[in-house]
Amino acid sequence: MPAAGEDFAAGIVVSLATVDVDSSLSMAHGWTPAVQRVGAFGEVLVLMDWIAWRSTDLAGGPVDEIFASLWARFPGLSMRRLWFSNPNDDDNVWRILREDTGLDVQVDTCPDGAPPFLLESDYSQRHVNSADEAVEILVEWFDTMTGTPWHM
């Protein structure tokens, strides 16, 4: 992530300045405001949040197999998916928490839950190309690692 004022590709500049938004909207939904300045078009307010992801929710790709395997093995997992108000932003990011151990992992995918997958915890980061490999690694992490609980 570039620092304030640094350019992304295609001339997008991130502004980390404090933003005044409708506080009732932001506070009621827990959304985090982010401001992006896009060329000469001015600033665009983008809201983001982590939304609950249930065992019945589907991304439509192999990531669904990963989540089904994890829920079968660890029924108490809590999952959230990154959500942005701008449909052009990448929302193929999930956070998974095993509450009894406090382990928090993040799974990043290509669009529609397709591989490759980026698996991250506080202790490790792995790139994998198959759902089976991702399940193997995540089960090992959830069986052996602990972490600091985060609030959903």
Side-chain angles (χ1 to χ4, degrees):
M1 178 73 155
E6 288 184 332
D7 288 339
F8 274 104
I12 297 173
V13 178
V14 175
S15 169
L16 299 179
T18 303
V19 180
D20 258 348
V21 296
D22 180 343
S23 60
S24 62
L25 175 71
S26 181
M27 298 301 279
H29 298 287
W31 293 337
T32 303
V35 174
Q36 295 179 342
R37 186 173 302 131
V38 183
F41 298 108
E43 293 183 342
V44 176
L45 178 64
V46 177
L47 298 175
M48 62 165 282
D49 194 11
W50 291 95
I51 58 172
W53 192 259
R54 297 171 303 276
S55 60
T56 55
D57 293 328
L58 298 174
V63 76
D64 295 331
E65 300 168 28
I66 296 170
F67 296 156
S69 295
L70 292 176
W71 267 311
R73 172 111 183 197
F74 307 102
L77 291 180
S78 297
M79 291 192 193
R80 300 276 181 181
R81 185 176 186 174
L82 187 59
W83 171 89
F84 287 99
S85 61
N86 183 340
N88 295 320
D89 285 319
D90 181 8
D91 63 354
N92 297 295
V93 180
W94 287 265
R95 289 181 73 179
I96 308 170
L97 173 67
R98 182 170 177 188
E99 293 185 29
D100 60 335
T101 65
L103 183 62
D104 169 14
V105 301
Q106 182 171 303
V107 177
D108 294 41
T109 72
C110 287
D112 302 318
F117 305 108
L118 172 61
L119 313 175
E120 297 177 288
S121 75
D122 288 339
Y123 309 103
S124 189
Q125 180 182 43
R126 298 282 303 271
H127 287 90
V128 298
N129 293 312
S130 74
D132 289 340
E133 188 179 7
V135 168
E136 182 180 322
I137 291 166
L138 291 169
V139 165
E140 178 185 341
W141 288 0
F142 282 120
D143 275 341
T144 61
M145 292 181 182
T146 60
T148 304
W150 51 276
H151 301 284
M152 289 204 188

